[in-house]
Amino acid sequence: DKEDKFSFQQRIESVKTAAVGALSGGIAATPFIAFHDIPLYGAASWEFDTDMGSLQGALFAIVYRYCVREEDDNDMLNMGVVGAFVVVRTLSRVRVPQYCTAAPLTCGSPLGYFDWDMIQQLALNGLESAALFGGAALAMEFAYKKEFISKFPN
């Protein structure tokens, strides 16, 4: 029943959505995560981060489906959902070097708060996150157009 927003059919759509998000997000992010992880941390870290990226892609896709609803063609909303996930993932993956001092945080040039190491982390993690969530959003839009997944009803 299309009128029941929380019917069994909607749950099936959410499972399909999670599968699309996990596969597409993981695949889109894999080369970027490899570029970042393998030289610095090794293959095991790359595998773990790719697996976690797939889980994040699945959760993102479910939220994306609930935000981007039927009869709602707001590109800014779509980009805002992607951007919010990119910012949160990117910032959460920055590690403050041990040489920084606390209260107030001071790490050195060029910005005091952020040093070159942290800026590099932001850039690499931002690229990974954009690929992960952007790829998942593109796959979701493709799945909507092909009617493999339905948008959540208003």
Side-chain angles (χ1 to χ4, degrees):
D1 181 9
K2 196 170 184 174
E3 292 301 313
D4 185 3
K5 292 183 183 181
F6 301 103
S7 66
F8 182 72
Q9 180 60 36
Q10 289 301 325
R11 291 184 183 130
I12 296 296
E13 292 298 306
S14 290
V15 170
K16 292 187 327 189
T17 296
V20 168
L23 290 171
S24 61
I27 290 168
T30 293
F32 299 99
I33 295 172
F35 174 74
H36 180 204
D37 277 6
I38 292 174
L40 296 174
Y41 311 112
S45 181
W46 167 70
E47 180 182 351
F48 179 79
D49 285 348
T50 301
D51 292 346
M52 294 308 103
S54 292
L55 286 174
Q56 292 166 2
L59 294 172
F60 163 79
I62 292 169
V63 172
Y64 187 84
R65 180 172 178 261
Y66 286 116
C67 291
V68 179
R69 295 177 177 229
E70 284 179 353
E71 302 168 16
D72 187 9
D73 294 322
N74 183 343
D75 289 337
M76 293 304 291
L77 175 63
N78 301 17
M79 289 186 285
V81 174
V82 173
F85 273 78
V86 167
V87 167
V88 169
R89 182 179 185 273
T90 299
L91 293 176
S92 71
R93 293 179 53 85
V94 173
R95 297 293 165 242
V96 177
Q98 288 186 343
Y99 53 78
C100 295
T101 59
L105 182 64
T106 306
C107 294
S109 66
L111 303 174
Y113 193 86
F114 289 108
D115 70 350
W116 288 112
D117 176 60
M118 294 169 74
I119 291 171
Q120 179 184 3
Q121 290 180 60
L122 286 169
L124 292 173
N125 288 310
L127 184 63
E128 288 175 14
S129 299
L132 171 64
F133 300 122
L138 286 172
M140 289 294 297
E141 291 298 328
F142 180 78
Y144 292 151
K145 283 183 178 63
K146 295 295 181 181
E147 298 181 355
F148 175 67
I149 297 172
S150 65
K151 288 186 173 184
F152 195 71
N154 278 327

